[in-house]
């Protein structure tokens, strides 16, 4: 768990200090007060671009010096990330006071989140669902981010060569395709493992009052063949398209409402929210079992559209994970069923409150 969180010039927070003394941290305040900004800061303690997927320079406070800092104490280890004022697009990470890579953060903390923007996950592009699956996978396969980065780098280099026939050295292309094949196979295997384990966990999780989803990883046609020889055959096609058309970057996550046998994209907004919550809770159980510690969950406005019965059930399920849960809401009354929590009010970038 995060024992201490410090923000400096992050979004609308000039400085903030939060020292949780309960597993539940509840942040309430008006829209635009800075509640989600705190969740985003916590999400930056994991590899990637955080829960908004924003550019680093956009995270720095507008009236600040141009940089920002986030620091947290996790099991006695200090984790820190941010950017310097003179290099707003270069992320710096320190673990235990030593410079490190963002991918190394996954060794110390597993973080998962649910935001209102994700309510359209099943309606949006495959890329959004693939990124969602990758964030879940990263918690159980910490090396997943490294393989993803190396695959993407090799693919970008291959695409550049294919669009410039004069530079398209066959030996160089073959080397890049071999890298894509190597890292792509690991990516596909980890995603498939994540989907299988989620389905197994969902089968034993309580079904009510949240819908039970069935998950499937959709792969492109011909995906059973090793990737490298496929890419070699498809160079002319990919050159004409200006991009690579085969590989794990084309995967999609399909979700079905088990009881109705209906694709999640065809379900109601409330049902889609329930499906997402079920996936998140099952994932938390898997992480707790494998890592020996549950993930930190970030839930933005999660209680706003749930009736009192489902809110109470959600809080019970979250408590059962044994992990730390950060939640936001505009009204404190939405969290009245929580027996104990760290209650904080956020107003214009200032955080104040006390344990409840």
């Amino acid at each position: 768990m995060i024992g201490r969180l410090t923000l400096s010039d992050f979004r609308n927070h000039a400085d903030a200090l939060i020292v949780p003394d309960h597993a539940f941290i509840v942040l309430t305040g008006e829209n635009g007060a800075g509640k989600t900004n705190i969740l985003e800061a916590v999400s930056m303690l994991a590899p990637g671009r955080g829960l908004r997927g924003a550019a680093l320079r956009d995270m720095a406070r507008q009236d600040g010096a141009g940089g920002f800092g986030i620091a947290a104490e996790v099991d006695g280890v200090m984790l820190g990330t941010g950017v310097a004022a003179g290099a707003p697009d270069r992320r710096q990470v320190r673990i235990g006071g030593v410079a490190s890579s963002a991918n190394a953060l996954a060794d110390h903390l597993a973080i998962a989140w649910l935001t209102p923007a994700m309510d359209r996950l099943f309606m949006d592009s495959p890329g959004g669902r693939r990124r969602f699956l990758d964030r879940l996978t990263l918690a159980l396969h910490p090396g997943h981010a490294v393989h993803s980065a190396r695959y993407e780098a090799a693919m970008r280099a291959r695409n550049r060569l294919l669009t410039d026939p004069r530079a398209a050295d066959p030996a160089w292309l073959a080397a890049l395709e071999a890298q894509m094949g190597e890292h792509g196979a690991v990516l596909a295997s980890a995603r498939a493992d994540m989907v299988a384990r989620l389905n197994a966990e969902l089968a034993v999780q309580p079904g009510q009052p949240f819908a039970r989803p069935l998950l499937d990883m959709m792969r492109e046609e011909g995906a059973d063949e090793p990737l490298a020889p496929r890419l070699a055959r498809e160079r002319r096609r990919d050159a004409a398209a200006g991009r690579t058309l085969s590989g794990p970057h084309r995967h999609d996550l399909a979700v079905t409402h088990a009881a109705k046998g209906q694709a999640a994209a065809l379900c109601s907004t409330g049902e889609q929210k329930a499906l997402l919550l079920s996936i998140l809770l099952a994932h938390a159980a898997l992480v707790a079992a494998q890592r020996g510690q549950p993930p930190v969950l970030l839930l933005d406005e999660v209680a706003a559209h749930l009736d009192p019965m489902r809110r109470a059930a959600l809080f019970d399920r979250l408590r059962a994970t044994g992990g730390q849960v950060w939640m936001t809401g505009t009204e404190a009354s939405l969290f009245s069923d929580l027996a104990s929590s760290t209650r904080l009010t956020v107003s214009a970038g200032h955080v104040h409150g006390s344990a409840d």
Side-chain angles (χ1 to χ4, degrees):
M1 295 188 183
I2 296 171
R4 180 186 180 93
L5 177 71
T6 306
L7 312 183
S8 300
D9 281 337
F10 184 81
R11 296 289 189 180
N12 68 332
H13 295 275
D15 59 80
L17 171 63
I18 298 175
V19 184
D21 50 8
H22 291 286
F24 285 88
I25 300 94
V26 176
L27 306 167
T28 57
E30 297 179 353
N31 292 328
K35 305 182 301 296
T36 304
N37 293 341
I38 295 173
L39 299 193
E40 183 181 28
V42 176
S43 74
M44 292 300 295
L45 298 170
R49 297 173 60 184
L51 59 78
R52 283 192 175 105
L56 290 170
R57 61 173 57 240
D58 294 336
M59 299 180 191
R61 190 168 63 93
Q62 289 186 356
D63 297 329
F68 70 85
I70 303 165
E73 181 182 351
V74 179
D75 295 332
V77 178
M78 291 302 301
L79 308 181
T81 189
V83 299
D89 297 315
R90 182 184 175 188
R91 183 178 181 184
Q92 300 178 15
V93 173
R94 299 186 75 84
I95 299 176
V98 178
S100 187
S101 69
N103 290 332
L105 291 168
D107 295 331
H108 297 268
L109 199 61
I111 304 176
W113 56 79
L114 195 60
T115 69
M118 293 169 63
D119 288 351
R120 289 191 54 80
L121 182 72
F122 304 121
M123 309 292 292
D124 287 340
S125 68
R129 291 185 291 275
R130 189 167 55 249
R131 287 188 292 274
F132 172 69
L133 176 59
D134 281 342
R135 285 198 301 273
L136 299 181
T137 303
L138 180 62
L140 297 184
H141 297 269
H144 192 67
V146 174
H147 289 289
S148 179
R150 291 177 179 172
Y151 175 87
E152 294 287 340
M155 182 173 66
R156 287 193 299 270
R158 177 180 184 269
N159 289 343
R160 285 194 298 269
L161 288 178
L162 289 176
T163 56
D164 184 0
R166 294 170 299 177
D169 177 13
W172 194 355
L173 282 170
L176 291 171
E177 288 160 356
Q179 290 181 42
M180 291 177 65
E182 175 188 351
H183 297 295
V186 180
L187 288 178
S189 176
R191 288 171 181 165
D193 175 68
M194 184 76 262
V195 167
R197 293 168 72 173
L198 278 171
N199 279 329
E201 181 63 30
L202 286 162
V204 299
Q205 287 270 322
Q208 295 297 327
F210 302 109
R212 178 192 163 201
L214 292 175
L215 283 64
D216 190 18
M217 190 180 77
M218 309 299 293
R219 303 193 296 170
E220 79 278 15
E221 185 177 351
D224 289 334
E225 179 187 354
L227 180 59
R230 269 194 295 146
L231 293 174
R233 275 200 320 272
E234 295 168 358
R235 289 175 188 173
R236 182 174 297 179
R237 183 193 68 171
D238 291 350
R243 57 196 175 97
T244 300
L245 298 176
S246 294
H249 64 286
R250 307 278 290 177
H251 290 171
D252 194 0
L253 176 66
V255 178
T256 303
H257 189 306
K260 300 175 69 172
Q262 187 176 60
L266 302 177
C267 294
S268 69
T269 301
E271 288 173 328
Q272 290 178 1
K273 186 81 152 187
L275 291 169
L276 278 171
L277 284 169
S278 292
I279 293 171
L280 197 70
L281 291 166
H283 179 257
L286 290 174
V287 172
Q290 175 165 314
R291 295 179 62 125
Q293 60 182 37
V296 172
L297 300 180
L298 311 177
L299 306 177
D300 193 17
E301 300 289 351
V302 71
H305 302 295
L306 296 177
D307 57 55
M309 184 268 290
R310 283 180 170 79
R311 277 203 305 271
L314 173 62
F315 296 154
D316 286 343
R317 293 280 297 276
L318 292 171
R319 190 177 295 109
T321 69
Q324 191 177 60
V325 183
W326 298 65
M327 293 186 287
T328 68
T330 55
E331 301 176 22
S333 61
L334 293 171
F335 306 97
S336 58
D337 289 327
L338 284 176
S340 61
S341 61
T342 298
R343 302 291 180 107
L344 302 170
T345 302
V346 184
S347 176
H350 296 282
V351 182
H352 52 90
S354 60
D356 191 20

